[in-house]
Amino acid sequence: EEANTFMSEFEKLVTDIDAVGIFLHNSSISLPMFIPGFGVAWGLFAAWSTGFAFSAIVSITPELAKIPPLAILFLSPFGIMELTAYSIATSRSFMLIRVISKKTNLIPFIKPTAIEIGIVIGLLLAGGYLEDFMIKLAHEKSIGLPGL
């Protein structure tokens, strides 16, 4: 019952989503991961909620139970891009909290952090467009459009 409720809410959220919407959603998840210390906890929460979502999907789609959940993530190019972006952000949060705890000067860490934020935004933007393209392609194939 919980899985069906989750999927119903999920479907409402993604009904009219496009590449920019996917990018904005993923950015709103990843950018807080850069916050020193908090970002690590946020990253763990994001991983847990993704696992919960996969579990809900599998529970109402039994044929997916044959595929390991991480395989779904690793087999999609946008999944790898998102995982890489989240890993970069979370690891920078960990590095910054270590620097802060050692009372080291933060100035030398501004430029690498800004570069990594740019990389994360680039990965998520490209991943959003790729995910949107693949969703539309799968939808077109499922409704049997000619030539696909």
Side-chain angles (χ1 to χ4, degrees), residues 31-115:
L31 292 178
M33 290 179 189
F34 279 97
I35 298 169
F38 171 78
V40 175
W42 182 253
L44 291 172
F45 172 74
W48 175 83
S49 60
T50 300
F52 181 80
F54 273 122
S55 177
I57 292 167
V58 167
S59 71
I60 64 169
T61 316
E63 50 273 2
L64 288 178
K66 299 172 187 167
I67 304 169
L70 287 178
I72 295 169
L73 183 65
F74 290 133
L75 291 176
S76 64
F78 57 85
I80 292 172
M81 295 167 89
E82 290 171 14
L83 184 63
T84 301
Y86 298 157
S87 298
I88 290 169
T90 303
S91 65
R92 177 54 62 177
S93 169
F94 180 76
M95 286 188 272
L96 290 174
I97 199 64
R98 289 204 56 218
V99 168
I100 291 168
S101 70
K102 291 181 178 183
K103 297 181 172 123
T104 307
N105 185 4
L106 284 174
I107 300 297
F109 294 91
I110 292 173
K111 186 175 179 180
T113 301
I115 290 169

Side-chain angles (χ1 to χ4, degrees), residues 114-132:
I115 290 169
E116 288 177 353
I117 289 171
I119 291 168
V120 165
I121 288 172
L123 281 169
L124 294 178
L125 185 61
Y129 275 94
L130 183 58
E131 185 172 356
D132 183 56

